[in-house]
Amino acid sequence: MSEEGIEEARARAKEYAKEKDYILNPDEKQLSAVLRGLARNKERFGEAYCPCRLRSGDPEKDRIIICPCIYHEKEIEEQGTCHCRLFFKKGE
């Protein structure tokens, strides 16, 4: 997986976080692991599937786990972070 792919995932996540008033995981090691997973999935499968969710292999069903997945807003609201700890509520 390319550095370029990882930086692209970072830029997308940063932009989305800014838009939603979230922050990215302040732990750079954890953040990098998630971004690498997103970049790897984009490279392998053509979409940035959430690395913390299992793909079924059916692109139609798996659309819901393309980052940001459909679960992230509820998780952030309830737990302060999404399942894979990419996005955090500000002030958590």
Side-chain angles (χ1 to χ4, degrees), residues 75-88:
E75 292 168 346
I76 293 167
E77 188 56 43
E78 293 176 356
Q79 300 155 24
T81 180
C82 66
H83 182 70
C84 58
R85 302 180 62 77
L86 176 60
F87 299 113
F88 280 69

Side-chain angles (χ1 to χ4, degrees), residues 9-25 68 72 76 86-90:
R10 181 184 298 273
R12 266 198 320 272
K14 225 183 215 173
E15 183 66 32
Y16 183 77
K18 185 179 175 184
E19 194 179 292
K20 290 294 217 169
D21 208 28
Y22 298 148
I23 59 168
L24 295 183
N25 190 332
H72 78 286
I76 293 167
L86 176 60
F87 299 113
F88 280 69
K89 207 189 277 187
K90 275 191 177 170

Side-chain angles (χ1 to χ4, degrees), residues 1-17:
M1 134 201 47
S2 70
E3 274 305 311
E4 193 178 290
I6 296 167
E7 285 314 307
E8 192 178 296
R10 181 184 298 273
R12 266 198 320 272
K14 225 183 215 173
E15 183 66 32
Y16 183 77

Side-chain angles (χ1 to χ4, degrees), residues 37-38 40-41 44-45 47-67 69-71 75 83-84:
L38 286 167
R40 183 180 55 242
N41 285 343
R44 278 190 192 156
F45 309 113
E47 292 291 355
Y49 294 110
C50 175
C52 308
R53 308 256 178 214
L54 290 175
R55 289 175 40 264
S56 70
D58 177 342
E60 193 57 38
K61 282 183 186 163
D62 291 340
R63 278 197 351 229
I64 64 171
I65 61 167
I66 294 171
C67 183
C69 72
I70 66 162
Y71 309 105
E75 292 168 346
H83 182 70
C84 58

